[in-house]
Amino acid sequence: MDPAPKDFEPLPEKVRPMLATPGRLPASDEGWAYEIKWDGVRAITFVEGGRIRMRSRNEKELASSFPEFREIGVAMGTRPCVLDGEIVVIGEGGIPDFGRLQHRLHLASTSAIGKQSAASPASYVIFDLLHLDGRPLFSLPYDARREQLEALGLSGSSYTTADSFRDAKGADILRATKDAGLEGVIAKQRSSPYVQGKRSDSWIKVKNVRTQEVV
């Protein structure tokens, strides 16, 4: 095995997710990218030596609850990385079903977890790359991190790389999510670094407003 380069940095023990600020779409689309807001559970995934560990925002270990995500480690092989994404369980009509996901989070026995992973398979939607091949990427702008993430081609039966709509109209993306019954969008400033544990104005979550008629 070749020795690690001198500037190689091991994976961090933990990463605090960057958080979005609730708000409205940016006044101008210039310099912004748009991603779908998924109704799931945020998870940071550490991949090393073909194995994974997953942590929720409150540092709960998640990998044992979702054995289907082991294939992410297989796909990365010997390349260490840290990924940021959302765990979802897709229900009827292709809409995330948070209730089914929540049920899976509460399972403890290996047999029950195995049954539910077949009955209610989860998907890991990856939207950011924070560490790769011994190099931390937090300080890089969004566009540079997305470029490296997309170059990995991460897509499998239980995981996928989230779409990033750049050079697009935020209003069009938000309308499309509403028509599809999805929660909304996250607007991300394309020049922004990844700021751990902070709720930043560089990320804005815009939810679709649900209305109902009252008689």
Side-chain angles (χ1 to χ4, degrees):
M1 179 182 296
D2 294 332
K6 291 183 178 180
D7 60 351
F8 182 94
E9 290 192 23
L11 297 186
E13 280 300 310
K14 68 178 183 178
V15 169
R16 294 170 297 150
M18 181 173 174
L19 305 175
T21 299
R24 298 181 178 182
L25 290 171
S28 171
D29 294 310
E30 186 174 353
W32 291 86
Y34 299 96
E35 299 175 5
I36 293 172
K37 186 180 188 307
W38 297 98
D39 188 12
V41 170
R42 185 80 172 273
I44 300 291
T45 301
F46 304 80
V47 185
E48 191 167 25
R51 298 180 179 179
I52 71 165
R53 53 187 174 93
M54 302 184 83
R55 295 289 186 270
S56 67
R57 278 178 57 182
N58 60 2
E59 286 297 303
K60 180 181 179 181
E61 194 280 324
L62 297 172
S64 60
S65 297
F66 300 95
E68 55 264 54
F69 297 151
R70 292 172 186 160
E71 65 172 344
I72 300 173
V74 175
M76 288 301 299
T78 59
R79 302 187 70 181
C81 71
V82 179
L83 306 167
D84 191 358
E86 195 92 359
I87 301 173
V88 296
V89 170
I90 302 299
E92 295 181 6
I95 305 300
D97 187 330
F98 189 76
R100 290 169 64 185
L101 173 60
Q102 202 169 35
H103 175 66
R104 288 202 55 181
L105 290 169
H106 294 152
L107 299 175
S109 74
T110 303
S111 61
I113 289 171
K115 288 178 181 178
Q116 284 302 308
S117 67
S120 298
S123 296
Y124 185 53
V125 184
I126 305 162
F127 52 72
D128 220 322
L129 177 65
L130 310 178
H131 210 284
L132 180 66
D133 296 334
R135 292 178 297 109
L137 308 179
F138 301 100
S139 63
L140 296 182
Y142 171 89
D143 274 356
R145 300 195 311 275
R146 281 292 313 197
E147 182 180 354
Q148 293 193 54
L149 172 61
E150 291 165 7
L152 293 177
L154 289 173
S155 180
S157 61
S158 69
Y159 63 96
T160 188
T161 301
D163 290 322
S164 171
F165 301 97
R166 287 157 279 186
D167 302 317
K169 293 183 178 180
D172 291 344
I173 306 302
L174 184 63
R175 188 179 307 112
T177 63
K178 186 174 183 179
D179 291 345
L182 298 170
E183 193 173 1
V185 301
I186 304 288
K188 296 184 177 181
Q189 204 164 39
R190 296 172 61 177
S191 61
S192 63
Y194 190 97
V195 184
Q196 288 194 62
K198 300 292 185 181
R199 192 171 295 280
S200 171
D201 290 337
S202 295
W203 288 13
I204 303 172
K205 57 181 177 182
V206 186
K207 290 188 177 183
N208 287 310
V209 178
R210 293 181 173 86
T211 59
Q212 62 182 27
E213 293 183 1
V214 178
V215 178

